[in-house]
Amino acid sequence: MAETIMDMCDATGNEHFKCFPNLLDMHFSGIIAHARYQISTGKIEGIDQKIKTLRRQG
């Protein structure tokens, strides 16, 4: 299915759509992992931001 979407984007000739297949290809494994296991990095990124904020305040 992803290959079909990539082919359609290439066929449009629009420069914005031509960038999308590369983006989709780079993140494909993460998209599949989220669909299967519904794992999110949101909590980890939130903790990381909290640590950065504490470092700046210190």
Side-chain angles (χ1 to χ4, degrees):
M1 175 146 174
E3 292 82 17
T4 306
I5 294 170
M6 292 175 172
D7 292 338
M8 286 193 306
C9 289
D10 281 335
T12 63
N14 186 329
E15 66 182 63
H16 297 290
F17 283 125
K18 285 186 176 186
C19 295
F20 184 70
N22 294 333
L23 182 69
L24 185 62
D25 191 37
M26 289 178 7
H27 297 283
F28 193 70
S29 61
I31 293 168
I32 296 300
H34 181 71
R36 283 187 182 165
Y37 306 110
Q38 297 181 353
I39 297 171
S40 173
T41 60
K43 288 184 180 182
I44 295 170
E45 290 182 20
I47 292 169
D48 188 37
Q49 290 299 320
K50 190 73 130 175
I51 292 169
K52 287 180 185 179
T53 301
L54 291 172
R55 282 186 187 167
R56 282 193 295 265
Q57 289 176 351

